[in-house]
Amino acid sequence: RVILEWIAVYGRPLDFQTLKAISSQEDGSLLEIVDHLLRRNFLLEGADGLEFSHHKVAEFLYVELSAIRRVVSHQKIGQTLKDIGEVSPALLAYHFVRAGETELAINYWLKAGQAALGGYALQLAASHFGHVLELADDPASRLEATIGLGHALTLLDEVDEAASTLQSGIALAEAANDEWRRAHLAFRYAQLASRQHPADAAEIEIRHALSLAEGVQDENLIARLLLLLSVTQASEGRLSDALDSTIQGRTLSQNKKD
């Protein structure tokens, strides 16, 4: 039953080596237990690992655990997965939040959100950043999540929600005197404006973000804003200005690499 409880707490298919690490069982004894559970049809062996043949059994076993046992089990699983490495940050966040390890959970939800953004899994990214905003009290974590959420919503064409999210983030950054994140939020807002507003209105937002980026001396951000500005200028037929902005942006990017 203990092995079944570990798999129930894990909450998804579980490979043998991870189960061994979590349960602290030796190969031989664990193989005997797993074989027995497979023969009795409690478990199935799928492509992703061991899982319950009937999910209601997993739900029953999980609910039957005491609250403290669930917390300790999630903590053990989270720490074991962390030690193993190369594990989905979303999976780590899932276990750490249920273990009451809020700071660790926030850190891994942020990493999961960035990974999802990088893979263009935008709805998933928005969900991960939303978890951070539900959990975090500190301005830095909330601002990081807001930057990511605003970007995901922009790419999803959720215009009103993206604008509201980014504006609230800018207000929080101002209140927290966090000029670096304020500049990055202004950049994301300028990106949104360049997708949704006329070129002249977008340019106002881009130049505002550019002044903030220059204030914090973030050359990478300045370069990105200059390239964004060049697109806006080109759309208005200001090709000479667009070329100048492009050259400045690419020069900064190259200097950064060097």
Side-chain angles (χ1 to χ4, degrees), residues 75-91:
Q75 190 174 47
K76 172 73 182 294
I77 291 171
Q79 190 58 52
T80 301
L81 293 175
K82 185 179 174 210
D83 293 341
I84 290 171
E86 297 184 7
V87 177
S88 158
L91 181 57

Side-chain angles (χ1 to χ4, degrees), residues 16-202:
F16 182 84
Q17 291 302 322
T18 304
L19 177 59
K20 175 187 169 185
I22 290 168
S23 64
S24 302
Q25 294 272 349
E26 296 295 329
D27 278 348
S29 59
L30 183 57
L31 276 170
E32 285 186 15
I33 295 168
V34 168
D35 284 343
H36 174 73
L37 293 171
L38 288 168
R39 286 195 302 270
R40 294 289 301 274
N41 203 36
F42 282 107
L43 295 178
L44 298 174
E45 196 170 14
D48 296 323
L50 300 164
E51 58 185 312
F52 282 91
S53 53
H54 300 288
H55 292 296
K56 291 293 183 185
V57 175
E59 292 173 9
F60 171 78
L61 287 170
Y62 188 81
V63 170
E64 283 293 294
L65 293 172
S66 66
I68 187 63
R69 179 71 177 273
R70 286 197 293 269
V71 167
V72 170
S73 297
H74 280 296
Q75 190 174 47
K76 172 73 182 294
I77 291 171
Q79 190 58 52
T80 301
L81 293 175
K82 185 179 174 210
D83 293 341
I84 290 171
E86 297 184 7
V87 177
S88 158
L91 181 57
L92 287 163
Y94 170 86
H95 288 292
F96 280 127
V97 75
R98 285 160 180 77
E101 300 275 3
T102 304
E103 189 173 334
L104 279 171
I106 288 169
N107 181 45
Y108 284 113
W109 280 132
L110 284 170
K111 289 181 178 179
Q114 292 299 338
L117 265 181
Y120 218 73
L122 302 176
Q123 293 284 5
L124 192 58
S127 174
H128 293 332
F129 290 127
H131 287 311
V132 176
L133 293 174
E134 290 171 2
L135 291 171
D137 293 322
D138 66 294
S141 296
R142 294 189 64 81
L143 288 169
E144 285 295 320
T146 302
I147 293 168
L149 178 58
H151 187 37
L153 292 170
T154 296
L155 295 175
L156 286 165
D157 283 328
E158 299 286 349
V159 178
D160 292 341
E161 193 174 351
S164 175
T165 297
L166 292 167
Q167 286 167 353
S168 67
I170 289 168
L172 176 59
E174 289 174 352
N177 292 317
D178 191 332
E179 293 302 310
W180 188 86
R181 290 186 176 89
R182 183 185 172 199
H184 280 260
L185 284 157
F187 166 60
R188 292 304 182 194
Y189 192 79
Q191 283 185 314
L192 175 64
S194 69
R195 292 166 67 99
Q196 300 297 328
H197 299 316
D200 57 344

Side-chain angles (χ1 to χ4, degrees), residues 207-227:
R207 289 195 178 279
H208 173 64
L210 190 54
S211 69
L212 293 174
E214 288 169 345
V216 296
Q217 299 180 337
D218 188 326
E219 292 186 355
N220 180 57
L221 189 58
I222 294 168
R224 295 169 75 184
L225 280 158
L226 285 168
L227 293 174

